Amino acid sequence: METAHNINAAFACQQDPAAFIQQLNEGSAKFAADPVVQQWSDLLELTLEYSNPNPLTTDYNTQVILFASGQAAMMQQGNWTQGQLDGIDPDLDLGLLPMPIDDTSEDNDVLFAGVPNNWVINKNSPVKEEAKTFLNWLVSSETGRRYITEEFQFIPAFDSIEGKEEDLGALGIEVLKYTDAGQALTWNWFRFPSGMSGEFASSIQAYIGGKITKPEMYEQFQQNWDNLSVE
C-alpha cells in the first residue's frame, strides 16, 4: 500500500484542499478535529482489513507482481503501472476504482489525477533555442507523438495528439475519461511543507505496525506539520 497515495484522500476530499492546507499552516485547522481526516482514517482501516498479510514489507515491485499474477484483486497505484503490468501479463483486464471516504456516491465517483512532472528549459542554458526546437518536435512530429503515447504511455496534454486505448492502455484511457468528465480531484503532496510526505509515511507505518494509536498518529501529524511549516 502506498502511504502517499492513501493520505492524499484526506486532502483531496476537502471542500477546498488549498484552503485546508493554508489553515493547517496558520494553525486554525487540526488533523484530529477534521471530519474528512477522520473519514480518511476509516478508509485506511478498511484497506488494512483486506490487505495482504505483510503491508509493511510489501514494496512497489512486489505489489505490482502480486496484482499482475492474480494474488491481489487491487492495488493503490495508477496508470504509470501499465507498462510494467503489460510486461508481466499483457492480457490483464484492468480498470480504476475511486477511493471513496464515505457512502455518498455523488461526490466519490472521482479519481485523483495530476501532472507528475513537467519539461522545463533552464533560463541560463546556452542552448535554449535548441531545447525549444526539441520540445516542439516532440509534440508535433509523428515520431515524437508516437513516443509520447505508444512508448511512454503518457496521457497527451495537447488536443493535437490523440490518446488511443491501444497506446495508453486501459488505465490511461480510464484516467482520460474521468478527467474529461470533470471527475478528478487533485494530488496535494507538492503543497505540503518540505519533508512532510516522509513524516506522514513514518506515522502511518507506525500505526499500521501497532506502535501508536490513531490519536497518537494524528498528534504526530500535527507536531510534524507545525514544525515543518515554520518558515
Side-chain angles (χ1 to χ4, degrees):
M1 182 181 65
E2 293 284 339
T3 52
H5 300 157
N6 198 280
I7 188 64
N8 182 68
F11 293 86
C13 295
Q14 297 285 339
Q15 182 96 28
D16 185 336
F20 176 63
I21 290 171
Q22 183 60 35
Q23 289 163 4
L24 286 171
N25 291 335
E26 296 169 350
S28 57
K30 302 293 181 183
F31 286 100
D34 185 78
V36 176
V37 172
Q38 293 170 15
Q39 289 172 321
W40 159 78
S41 67
D42 291 339
L43 172 63
L44 175 63
E45 289 181 355
L46 185 67
T47 304
L48 291 171
E49 182 180 350
Y50 292 97
S51 70
N52 79 73
N54 305 299
L56 292 178
T57 57
T58 302
D59 62 13
Y60 173 81
N61 285 327
T62 303
Q63 179 184 168
V64 173
I65 291 170
L66 287 173
F67 176 75
S69 63
Q71 298 178 66
M74 61 185 70
M75 62 178 178
Q76 285 186 10
Q77 295 294 339
N79 63 301
W80 53 84
T81 60
Q82 185 76 61
Q84 189 173 356
L85 292 171
D86 288 345
I88 299 171
D89 185 349
D91 298 320
L92 285 172
D93 186 10
L94 301 172
L96 290 174
L97 288 171
M99 290 173 60
I101 61 168
D102 59 33
D103 296 329
T104 57
S105 60
E106 60 271 13
D107 57 357
N108 277 289
D109 187 18
V110 292
L111 299 180
F112 303 141
V115 179
N117 45 46
N118 299 276
W119 292 81
V120 297
I121 298 174
N122 190 318
K123 68 177 183 179
N124 297 318
S125 171
V127 290
K128 288 195 292 291
E129 293 308 312
E130 290 88 341
K132 292 177 184 179
T133 299
F134 166 73
L135 293 178
N136 284 324
W137 171 87
L138 186 64
V139 298
S140 61
S141 70
E142 183 178 345
T143 300
R145 291 196 298 256
R146 180 175 64 81
Y147 265 83
I148 287 174
T149 54
E150 296 180 34
E151 303 293 333
F152 303 155
Q153 293 183 303
F154 289 168
I155 297 172
F158 294 87
D159 292 335
S160 59
I161 305 175
E162 183 180 1
K164 301 177 182 178
E165 183 167 355
E166 58 264 32
D167 299 332
L168 305 183
L171 300 182
I173 287 296
E174 193 90 337
V175 174
L176 193 56
K177 288 178 180 177
Y178 269 85
T179 52
D180 284 349
Q183 294 172 254
L185 299 180
T186 54
W187 293 114
N188 291 277
W189 50 74
F190 59 90
R191 295 185 172 123
F192 298 167
S194 180
M196 191 62 210
S197 290
E199 297 298 343
F200 274 135
S202 295
S203 297
I204 294 171
Q205 288 168 4
Y207 174 68
I208 292 172
K211 303 295 185 182
I212 59 175
T213 64
K214 186 184 291 186
E216 289 171 334
M217 179 176 67
Y218 292 154
E219 184 179 352
Q220 287 190 9
F221 287 175
Q222 196 66 56
Q223 289 178 347
N224 287 319
W225 188 285
D226 290 346
N227 290 337
L228 292 172
S229 63
V230 175
E231 295 183 357

